[in-house]
Amino acid sequence: MIIVLKPETPPEVTQELLDRIAEKGLTPLHMPGSERVVLGALGDERVLAELHLESHPMVESVKPVLAPYKLVSRELHPHDTIVRIGKIAIGGGAFRVIAGPCAVETEEQTRNTARIVKEAGASALRGGAYKPRTSPYGFAGHGPEGLKILREVGDEFGLPVVTEVMEIADLNIVAEYADCLQIGARNMSNFALLRAVGKVDKPVLLKRGMAAKIEELLLAAEYLLAAGNEQVVLCERGIRTFETATRNTLDLNAVPYIKQKTHLPVVVDPSHGTGMRDLVIPMSLAAAACGADGLMVEVHENPAVALSDGAQSLYPEGFRELMTALAPVVHAVGRELA
Amino acid sequence: MIIVLKPETPPEVTQELLDRIAEKGLTPLHMPGSERVVLGALGDERVLAELHLESHPMVESVKPVLAPYKLVSRELHPHDTIVRIGKIAIGGGAFRVIAGPCAVETEEQTRNTARIVKEAGASALRGGAYKPRTSPYGFAGHGPEGLKILREVGDEFGLPVVTEVMEIADLNIVAEYADCLQIGARNMSNFALLRAVGKVDKPVLLKRGMAAKIEELLLAAEYLLAAGNEQVVLCERGIRTFETATRNTLDLNAVPYIKQKTHLPVVVDPSHGTGMRDLVIPMSLAAAACGADGLMVEVHENPAVALSDGAQSLYPEGFRELMTALAPVVHAVGRELA
Amino acid sequence: MIIVLKPETPPEVTQELLDRIAEKGLTPLHMPGSERVVLGALGDERVLAELHLESHPMVESVKPVLAPYKLVSRELHPHDTIVRIGKIAIGGGAFRVIAGPCAVETEEQTRNTARIVKEAGASALRGGAYKPRTSPYGFAGHGPEGLKILREVGDEFGLPVVTEVMEIADLNIVAEYADCLQIGARNMSNFALLRAVGKVDKPVLLKRGMAAKIEELLLAAEYLLAAGNEQVVLCERGIRTFETATRNTLDLNAVPYIKQKTHLPVVVDPSHGTGMRDLVIPMSLAAAACGADGLMVEVHENPAVALSDGAQSLYPEGFRELMTALAPVVHAVGRELA
Amino acid sequence: MIIVLKPETPPEVTQELLDRIAEKGLTPLHMPGSERVVLGALGDERVLAELHLESHPMVESVKPVLAPYKLVSRELHPHDTIVRIGKIAIGGGAFRVIAGPCAVETEEQTRNTARIVKEAGASALRGGAYKPRTSPYGFAGHGPEGLKILREVGDEFGLPVVTEVMEIADLNIVAEYADCLQIGARNMSNFALLRAVGKVDKPVLLKRGMAAKIEELLLAAEYLLAAGNEQVVLCERGIRTFETATRNTLDLNAVPYIKQKTHLPVVVDPSHGTGMRDLVIPMSLAAAACGADGLMVEVHENPAVALSDGAQSLYPEGFRELMTALAPVVHAVGRELA
């Protein structure tokens, strides 16, 4: 950690800060320059965080040298983690497509959509029983009833199911029915939920918050690993920017960046990442090309009557087109569509 | 609601859409232009939302005419709502300062800080017993122990207390000790929490999420009002932008804009809104000048050793300076510092 | 165009506005709803823009129905435009790689880099003789001397050259030496420069500004076409967002979106779009996968000593790797790397 | 400057980098930690920038210790600069209001508006003769004719005039007629224009670009000072963020931040900063409260028929209201409205 002092810092304050660094068991360094005094602190910066040096009135800035996360870091854990969702594996070579409706609306709609995605080659089924909605007047999902439908339909087609858990009170029931617990973008910084989900023995799909820096996504994952759950898939789903032509700005830069920093697998959600049906196929191909381990895609048997996110859901025909177009791209980057 | 169709839309689809609008009890309008057909639907747009017209493959865009919130809207409720927190009122003329430490660290620190803010003229005491932290390794608050200290110290100095509730499981205990429940920026879209807090008979201070549009803040408040709780104070606390010189970009435009759209009072948090101690006083004055109903400010008896947010906490001397500077500005805009 | 009036609008104002719409030769529409009066104006919205209805005190909002650009729109010009830069074509099937150093530093560096990119399969040579620099103390390019080197080296290897023109005063000399004029991100809204370049008989590569919405990029292109130059290549090069892990956020959503809206070809600059050498290859593949017509990549014979943008420039070995990895992805989406 | 090396950096590379630092006349520092080697370079960092250490493949990150600007810095020039525009002074205690129409439309409109703002207490007249327009079909100003009207009307009412210069070719004529040259937000990074304006003996009002960090605004000002022009007023006018309720997000944090970093005066443009007439008065008061040296406000004799920016222009009555409301706030912060 590098600590830059204000120009007017008196020598006794400098000494006091050096002493505090040393007390924490770190090696203090004193670098007096012509315009600023710079201090260094070598060792575990997480210990140093307790000193809250940025609060000191004579400290101009504090620059960390090491990443603030540890368990998710590739430095300590160089090999790719493979996450098992039911019988499928995410990470480690195969490229996986998780597909299904935004929300479980009816048993029939879920079954029809599951059949379509299964036949076209999807590996897992998604579908929301609990839906976060910006407006209190929107359709918020069928809850337990939705979970049961999802489980039944998943078993019928041999597809493991991924579904969102929105609050701790629902954790047990969601974990009972789902093969993978999704934490939505709006809950990425719901630390109580992260801690609770971290204690459950189910894989987790953690979506990036729409205002979350990549480092914050990795720290949210660190909550899960620190609580004991190492089966975590990260999901890039678009961030909020000034651009209004698309619903979100899909940050594909994040994919190779995250792969470099962490051993956890990464999937991309081109449905929320674009908000526009017509962009889902090209952005899915882009996600595969830049190294993602899979996709999470919204498909509906008839998007024109979908209760939520219809504008970004693929038609059955569109999903088949996606899978056909995806195979050669996945292959071109040395992977297999499984 | 205005519905713009794609150029190639066949007449029978246009008719189908007009019929669906009429079936919902709205008045359909057909406006055939030279380059686009535009449809209108007059009436309660919330009903129309159920049609999900934006999902239709022939619909190019949907433009709402009315705001998506209702209970928080000033159109239906033109007079300012006054929110009572303990014995003080927020909204309706007086300008209120809620001050205290970021976190309740010790009884002594809380008491000392409370004495300082009380003597300088604060109306209420803030302090966190449950702290959301980006890193799982940060200090997360003392929980129930912190609540007790806060209550005791608040009573000692006659200051009502405002504190954050982070999860539904803590709601009862927080409501037992606090005079006002704070919903933090990271939880503004935690809809389960909003619904639960909406059922509690305590005023709520709702902070804007760091990626939340003003409309989304108003919809989050709508969750609270729809659940039955009308005692809601909104809080602008800075949004996330590309600017890195400050921790957040304090969006003061939001203050007069929100006052125009809703009857709920608005306070400003210049501590999180800037992240820099030196900017807290000028931005507090700015908040008062543009029409805010009060402030929420972090003060610590000794920020240099604070366990969290020390860099943005005022020293006791700074807080006294703020209160001295604030009075004439509040007076200049026709209010009283109470 | 749809005009939403404020609730309190008196009937005579409504009538006045309808009359003004009719006077411009458009068809006015009156839609009185229960909560708002909505007006419509059917016809050429560009004419209507002259009315400045959004300025009227009784107008709540104005919602355009048509895109504000015309000449660049695919609606009026459905077929892909092919832009010829020297002997190569951009758009229309082939995938092109424009590569070279950020800046022309010396003749030797330019020649060595040109040899490397030519041998690896690049179609054109890029290199800056005039460099926009955030700091007045940075290296700003060699000017005319740089142009001469670029031309000479381009001819030697049979590579057409693309280089930036920063001001109108340099336009003649840049046009004399270059095969394609680049307008940089910082000049995308330099309308005087756009108008001047629009009158030159040379193809233009127009980069998206770092805060420009896609619609604004298309309007900037409209300036060029309106001035008579139809040979325009658009370039997505990353936008400015809150994410600081990467230099910019490469907005690949923009590629298929732009292809849908305009007939002009689009290339991607993964060097500026990421700012990190390690991300250039994966993001180049992503660009190819989502439908871009080519790439603009920074390569340096030795980035460790580059005078600008070294951190994002590929090493020769990296560029060869890119070209090898690119071919199968380009092929997978039905194009050829030419 | 602090240089963090990658974990695998071999000792000979470390030594090479230390040698390169020493060769530039700076003091090199070697700080070997357990997880990273950190290097320091003490002295003038602007010299070090020439080394482009961030390009080196073994360098993980480079963290500057000093600000990249020099002449605009308050460290080297602690006293406030006072800028003289005609007979008025900006900076140094008085609070100044520059007001007038967005564009000079007719002589009569300009004269009427000038009379209104003069009578209400404005210090200077603004008005555009050259207008940057997003669309090539918008009204782009009357050019030289507009300049003449502005000059004449300014002289008639004893108001110095501020007007925008958009390109170098117009610099002489604008400088002939104007008392202060405005550089618009879209040209803040037009470095050729900055260099040219820096050589003219007229004060400059430099607007922040809509995607410009504060540091970049200060570097743009550094261009002007480095070229010889020290009479520079900075202008905060809103930045582009995800919020769409307002045209821009007025970043008032920037005002006290800039005042801390530089000796140059700062004014605020609440018209562009909000884009909404109803927000102009409250945000003007906020600007005064947080320490701005003045305002730049759009006023039109009849905004409902303005050729540009009507939605954000004040009516005459609104401007008088602003001036009345402003006086006590300016006074409350210890200044005088002059």
Side-chain angles (χ1 to χ4, degrees):
Chain A
M1 192 172 278
I2 301 298
I3 301 106
V4 181
L5 302 184
K6 291 193 180 162
E8 65 273 23
T9 310
E12 57 274 21
V13 168
T14 306
Q15 193 53 52
E16 174 212 326
L17 290 169
L18 290 167
D19 292 348
R20 284 171 67 187
I21 291 166
E23 274 162 28
K24 284 281 169 188
L26 290 109
T27 309
L29 273 161
H30 185 213
M31 296 169 273
S34 57
E35 301 186 46
R36 287 287 187 291
V37 169
V38 176
L39 308 183
L42 308 177
D44 186 348
E45 298 192 347
R46 288 156 207 108
V47 170
L48 205 61
E50 296 165 26
L51 286 180
H52 303 284
L53 295 176
E54 69 283 1
S55 309
H56 198 285
M58 285 297 113
V59 169
E60 189 169 281
S61 63
V62 166
K63 299 166 198 280
V65 167
L66 301 175
Y69 44 82
K70 201 156 71 178
L71 302 173
V72 304
S73 168
R74 202 178 265 286
E75 283 192 37
L76 294 182
H77 182 317
H79 299 298
D80 284 355
T81 286
I82 292 178
V83 176
R84 300 200 174 272
I85 298 180
K87 57 178 207 273
I88 70 160
I90 299 198
F95 186 87
R96 296 288 182 180
V97 178
I98 305 165
C102 173
V104 172
E105 297 169 8
T106 65
E107 192 173 331
E108 199 196 342
Q109 163 252 14
T110 309
R111 176 169 294 113
N112 288 346
T113 308
R115 180 180 302 114
I116 292 156
V117 303
K118 170 73 178 185
E119 285 176 3
S123 298
L125 181 66
R126 61 148 290 152
Y130 300 89
K131 301 299 307 171
R133 300 307 300 264
T134 306
S135 162
Y137 309 118
F139 168 63
H142 290 310
E145 208 44 52
L147 291 175
K148 277 174 216 160
I149 293 174
L150 201 63
R151 177 76 271 161
E152 226 174 83
V153 170
D155 288 345
E156 190 177 329
F157 292 98
L159 292 169
V161 302
V162 181
T163 197
E164 179 165 356
V165 57
M166 279 180 61
E167 53 175 312
I168 296 173
D170 302 329
L171 188 47
N172 283 341
I173 190 166
V174 178
E176 191 187 326
Y177 287 100
D179 295 298
C180 175
L181 305 172
Q182 178 182 323
I183 295 179
R186 286 175 188 75
N187 276 320
M188 192 205 87
S189 298
N190 181 338
F191 303 120
L193 183 63
L194 291 172
R195 272 197 211 95
V197 170
K199 285 177 200 137
V200 174
D201 185 26
K202 283 275 173 181
V204 184
L205 188 144
L206 176 65
K207 291 188 129 185
R208 181 180 182 184
M210 68 179 103
K213 298 187 184 197
I214 297 171
E215 188 175 289
E216 292 165 337
L217 171 62
L218 295 177
L219 279 165
E222 184 87 3
Y223 263 93
L224 295 167
L225 272 72
N229 194 336
E230 302 190 348
Q231 290 281 295
V232 177
V233 177
L234 303 173
C235 181
E236 161 61 32
R237 48 76 72 202
I239 57 173
R240 184 160 271 188
T241 71
F242 64 80
E243 180 56 76
T244 51
T246 48
R247 181 175 175 185
N248 289 292
T249 296
L250 188 65
D251 180 14
L252 288 182
N253 277 353
V255 174
Y257 185 87
I258 288 174
K259 297 291 286 182
Q260 206 177 62
K261 297 293 176 192
T262 183
H263 50 89
L264 299 172
V266 185
V267 299
V268 169
D269 173 350
S271 307
H272 288 87
T274 64
M276 296 171 73
R277 188 181 300 131
D278 290 349
L279 304 191
V280 170
I281 296 181
M283 298 316 288
S284 294
L285 304 185
C290 70
D293 296 297
L295 297 176
M296 172 103 171
V297 189
E298 289 185 351
V299 183
H300 194 286
E301 52 164 346
N302 183 7
V305 299
L307 295 183
S308 57
D309 281 353
Q312 68 195 33
S313 293
L314 289 179
Y315 275 80
E317 186 47 37
F319 186 67
R320 286 187 283 266
E321 224 181 276
L322 163 62
M323 296 303 286
T324 305
L326 201 53
V329 174
V330 167
H331 191 73
V333 294
R335 291 183 166 225
E336 287 312 315
L337 185 58
Chain B
M1 192 173 277
I2 301 300
I3 301 107
V4 181
L5 303 184
K6 291 193 181 162
E8 65 273 22
T9 310
E12 57 275 21
V13 168
T14 306
Q15 192 53 52
E16 174 213 327
L17 291 169
L18 289 167
D19 292 348
R20 284 170 67 186
I21 291 167
E23 273 162 31
K24 285 280 169 189
L26 290 110
T27 309
L29 275 161
H30 186 213
M31 297 170 272
S34 57
E35 303 187 45
R36 288 285 188 292
V37 169
V38 176
L39 308 183
L42 308 177
D44 186 349
E45 300 193 346
R46 288 155 208 109
V47 170
L48 204 63
E50 295 164 27
L51 285 180
H52 304 284
L53 295 176
E54 69 283 1
S55 309
H56 197 285
M58 285 299 113
V59 170
E60 190 170 282
S61 61
V62 167
K63 299 169 198 277
V65 168
L66 301 175
Y69 44 82
K70 203 156 69 174
L71 303 173
V72 304
S73 169
R74 201 179 267 285
E75 282 192 37
L76 293 183
H77 182 315
H79 300 298
D80 284 355
T81 287
I82 293 179
V83 176
R84 302 200 172 272
I85 299 181
K87 58 177 206 272
I88 71 161
I90 299 199
F95 187 87
R96 298 287 184 179
V97 178
I98 305 165
C102 173
V104 173
E105 297 169 6
T106 66
E107 192 173 330
E108 200 195 343
Q109 164 253 13
T110 308
R111 177 169 292 113
N112 289 345
T113 307
R115 181 181 300 114
I116 291 155
V117 303
K118 170 73 177 184
E119 286 175 4
S123 298
L125 181 65
R126 61 148 290 152
Y130 300 88
K131 302 298 307 168
R133 301 306 301 267
T134 307
S135 161
Y137 309 119
F139 168 64
H142 290 310
E145 209 43 56
L147 290 174
K148 279 174 215 161
I149 293 174
L150 200 62
R151 180 75 269 163
E152 225 175 84
V153 170
D155 287 345
E156 190 176 330
F157 292 99
L159 293 168
V161 303
V162 181
T163 197
E164 179 165 357
V165 56
M166 279 179 63
E167 53 175 313
I168 295 173
D170 302 329
L171 188 47
N172 283 340
I173 191 166
V174 177
E176 189 188 328
Y177 286 102
D179 296 298
C180 176
L181 305 172
Q182 178 183 321
I183 295 178
R186 286 174 188 76
N187 276 320
M188 192 206 84
S189 299
N190 182 337
F191 303 120
L193 183 63
L194 291 173
R195 272 197 211 96
V197 170
K199 286 177 200 139
V200 174
D201 185 26
K202 284 274 175 183
V204 183
L205 189 144
L206 175 65
K207 293 188 128 186
R208 181 180 182 184
M210 68 178 103
K213 298 188 182 195
I214 298 171
E215 186 175 290
E216 291 165 336
L217 171 62
L218 295 178
L219 280 165
E222 183 88 2
Y223 264 94
L224 295 167
L225 271 72
N229 193 336
E230 301 189 349
Q231 290 281 296
V232 177
V233 178
L234 302 174
C235 180
E236 162 60 35
R237 48 74 74 201
I239 56 173
R240 184 160 271 186
T241 70
F242 64 80
E243 179 57 75
T244 51
T246 48
R247 182 175 174 186
N248 288 292
T249 296
L250 188 64
D251 179 14
L252 289 183
N253 277 353
V255 175
Y257 185 88
I258 288 174
K259 297 291 285 184
Q260 207 177 62
K261 297 292 177 192
T262 182
H263 50 88
L264 299 172
V266 185
V267 300
V268 169
D269 172 351
S271 306
H272 288 87
T274 64
M276 294 172 74
R277 188 181 299 132
D278 291 349
L279 304 191
V280 170
I281 295 180
M283 297 316 288
S284 294
L285 304 185
C290 70
D293 295 297
L295 296 175
M296 172 105 172
V297 190
E298 288 185 353
V299 183
H300 195 285
E301 55 163 347
N302 184 8
V305 300
L307 295 183
S308 57
D309 280 353
Q312 69 195 35
S313 294
L314 290 178
Y315 275 80
E317 187 46 37
F319 185 68
R320 286 187 283 265
E321 223 180 278
L322 163 62
M323 295 304 284
T324 305
L326 200 53
V329 174
V330 167
H331 191 73
V333 294
R335 292 180 167 228
E336 287 312 314
L337 186 57
Chain C
M1 191 172 278
I2 301 299
I3 301 106
V4 181
L5 303 184
K6 291 193 181 162
E8 66 273 23
T9 310
E12 57 275 20
V13 169
T14 306
Q15 192 54 51
E16 175 213 326
L17 291 169
L18 289 168
D19 292 349
R20 285 169 68 186
I21 291 166
E23 273 162 30
K24 284 281 169 188
L26 291 109
T27 310
L29 274 162
H30 185 213
M31 298 170 272
S34 57
E35 303 187 44
R36 287 285 188 292
V37 169
V38 177
L39 308 183
L42 308 177
D44 186 349
E45 300 193 346
R46 288 152 207 111
V47 170
L48 204 63
E50 294 165 27
L51 286 180
H52 304 284
L53 295 176
E54 68 285 1
S55 310
H56 197 285
M58 285 299 113
V59 169
E60 190 170 281
S61 62
V62 167
K63 300 168 197 278
V65 167
L66 301 176
Y69 43 82
K70 203 156 69 175
L71 303 172
V72 304
S73 169
R74 200 179 267 284
E75 283 192 36
L76 293 183
H77 182 316
H79 300 298
D80 284 355
T81 286
I82 293 178
V83 176
R84 301 199 173 273
I85 300 181
K87 57 177 207 271
I88 71 160
I90 300 201
F95 187 88
R96 297 288 184 180
V97 178
I98 304 165
C102 173
V104 173
E105 297 169 5
T106 66
E107 192 174 330
E108 200 195 343
Q109 164 253 12
T110 309
R111 177 170 293 111
N112 288 345
T113 307
R115 181 180 301 112
I116 291 155
V117 303
K118 170 73 178 183
E119 286 176 3
S123 298
L125 181 65
R126 59 149 290 154
Y130 301 89
K131 300 299 306 168
R133 300 306 301 266
T134 307
S135 162
Y137 309 118
F139 169 64
H142 291 309
E145 209 43 57
L147 290 174
K148 279 174 215 160
I149 293 174
L150 201 62
R151 179 75 270 161
E152 227 175 83
V153 169
D155 288 345
E156 190 177 329
F157 293 99
L159 293 168
V161 302
V162 181
T163 198
E164 179 165 355
V165 57
M166 279 180 62
E167 53 175 312
I168 296 173
D170 303 329
L171 187 48
N172 282 341
I173 190 167
V174 178
E176 190 188 327
Y177 286 102
D179 296 297
C180 176
L181 305 171
Q182 178 182 321
I183 295 179
R186 285 174 189 75
N187 277 321
M188 191 205 85
S189 298
N190 183 338
F191 304 119
L193 183 63
L194 290 173
R195 272 196 211 96
V197 170
K199 287 178 199 137
V200 174
D201 185 26
K202 283 275 175 181
V204 184
L205 188 143
L206 175 65
K207 292 188 129 186
R208 180 180 182 184
M210 68 178 103
K213 297 187 183 196
I214 297 170
E215 186 174 289
E216 291 166 337
L217 171 62
L218 295 178
L219 279 165
E222 184 88 1
Y223 264 93
L224 295 167
L225 271 72
N229 193 335
E230 302 190 347
Q231 290 281 295
V232 177
V233 178
L234 302 174
C235 181
E236 161 61 35
R237 48 74 73 201
I239 57 173
R240 184 160 271 186
T241 70
F242 64 80
E243 181 56 76
T244 51
T246 49
R247 183 176 174 186
N248 288 293
T249 296
L250 188 65
D251 179 14
L252 289 183
N253 278 353
V255 174
Y257 185 88
I258 289 174
K259 297 291 286 184
Q260 207 176 62
K261 297 292 177 193
T262 182
H263 50 89
L264 299 171
V266 185
V267 300
V268 169
D269 172 350
S271 306
H272 288 87
T274 64
M276 297 171 73
R277 188 181 299 131
D278 291 349
L279 303 192
V280 170
I281 296 180
M283 297 316 288
S284 295
L285 304 186
C290 69
D293 295 298
L295 297 175
M296 172 103 172
V297 189
E298 289 186 353
V299 183
H300 195 285
E301 55 163 347
N302 184 7
V305 300
L307 295 184
S308 57
D309 281 352
Q312 69 195 35
S313 294
L314 290 178
Y315 276 80
E317 186 48 35
F319 185 68
R320 287 187 283 265
E321 224 180 278
L322 163 62
M323 296 303 285
T324 306
L326 201 53
V329 174
V330 167
H331 191 73
V333 294
R335 290 180 166 229
E336 286 313 314
L337 186 57
Chain D
M1 192 172 277
I2 301 298
I3 302 106
V4 181
L5 302 185
K6 291 193 181 161
E8 65 274 24
T9 311
E12 57 274 21
V13 168
T14 306
Q15 193 52 52
E16 174 213 326
L17 291 169
L18 289 167
D19 292 350
R20 285 170 67 187
I21 291 166
E23 272 163 29
K24 285 280 169 188
L26 290 110
T27 310
L29 273 161
H30 186 212
M31 297 169 272
S34 55
E35 301 187 46
R36 289 286 188 290
V37 169
V38 176
L39 307 183
L42 308 177
D44 186 349
E45 299 193 348
R46 289 155 207 106
V47 170
L48 204 63
E50 296 165 27
L51 285 180
H52 304 283
L53 295 176
E54 69 284 0
S55 310
H56 197 285
M58 285 297 112
V59 170
E60 189 170 281
S61 62
V62 167
K63 298 167 200 279
V65 167
L66 301 175
Y69 44 82
K70 200 156 72 176
L71 303 172
V72 304
S73 168
R74 201 177 266 287
E75 283 192 37
L76 294 182
H77 183 316
H79 299 298
D80 284 356
T81 286
I82 292 178
V83 176
R84 300 200 173 271
I85 299 180
K87 56 177 208 272
I88 70 159
I90 299 199
F95 186 88
R96 296 287 184 181
V97 178
I98 305 165
C102 173
V104 173
E105 296 168 8
T106 66
E107 193 173 329
E108 200 196 342
Q109 163 252 14
T110 309
R111 177 169 293 113
N112 288 345
T113 307
R115 181 180 302 114
I116 291 156
V117 304
K118 171 72 178 185
E119 286 175 4
S123 298
L125 182 65
R126 61 149 289 151
Y130 300 89
K131 301 299 307 169
R133 300 308 301 264
T134 307
S135 162
Y137 309 118
F139 169 63
H142 289 310
E145 209 43 53
L147 291 174
K148 278 174 215 160
I149 293 174
L150 200 63
R151 178 76 271 161
E152 228 174 82
V153 170
D155 288 345
E156 190 177 330
F157 293 98
L159 293 168
V161 302
V162 182
T163 198
E164 179 164 357
V165 57
M166 279 180 62
E167 54 175 311
I168 296 173
D170 303 329
L171 188 47
N172 283 341
I173 190 167
V174 178
E176 192 187 326
Y177 286 101
D179 296 297
C180 176
L181 305 172
Q182 178 183 323
I183 295 179
R186 286 175 188 75
N187 275 322
M188 192 205 87
S189 298
N190 182 338
F191 304 120
L193 183 64
L194 290 172
R195 272 197 211 94
V197 170
K199 284 176 201 139
V200 174
D201 185 27
K202 283 276 174 180
V204 183
L205 188 144
L206 175 65
K207 291 188 128 186
R208 180 179 183 185
M210 68 179 102
K213 298 188 183 195
I214 297 171
E215 187 174 289
E216 291 165 338
L217 171 62
L218 296 177
L219 279 165
E222 184 88 2
Y223 263 93
L224 294 167
L225 272 72
N229 194 336
E230 302 191 347
Q231 291 281 295
V232 177
V233 178
L234 302 174
C235 180
E236 162 61 31
R237 46 76 72 203
I239 57 174
R240 184 160 271 187
T241 71
F242 64 80
E243 180 55 75
T244 50
T246 49
R247 183 176 174 184
N248 289 292
T249 296
L250 187 65
D251 179 14
L252 288 182
N253 277 353
V255 174
Y257 185 88
I258 288 173
K259 296 292 286 183
Q260 205 177 62
K261 296 293 176 193
T262 182
H263 49 89
L264 298 173
V266 185
V267 299
V268 169
D269 173 350
S271 306
H272 288 87
T274 63
M276 296 171 73
R277 189 182 298 132
D278 291 349
L279 304 191
V280 170
I281 296 181
M283 297 316 288
S284 294
L285 304 185
C290 71
D293 295 298
L295 297 176
M296 173 103 171
V297 189
E298 288 185 353
V299 183
H300 194 286
E301 53 163 347
N302 183 8
V305 301
L307 295 183
S308 56
D309 281 354
Q312 69 194 35
S313 294
L314 289 178
Y315 275 80
E317 187 46 39
F319 185 67
R320 287 188 283 264
E321 224 181 277
L322 163 62
M323 295 304 285
T324 305
L326 201 52
V329 174
V330 166
H331 192 73
V333 295
R335 292 182 167 226
E336 287 312 315
L337 186 57

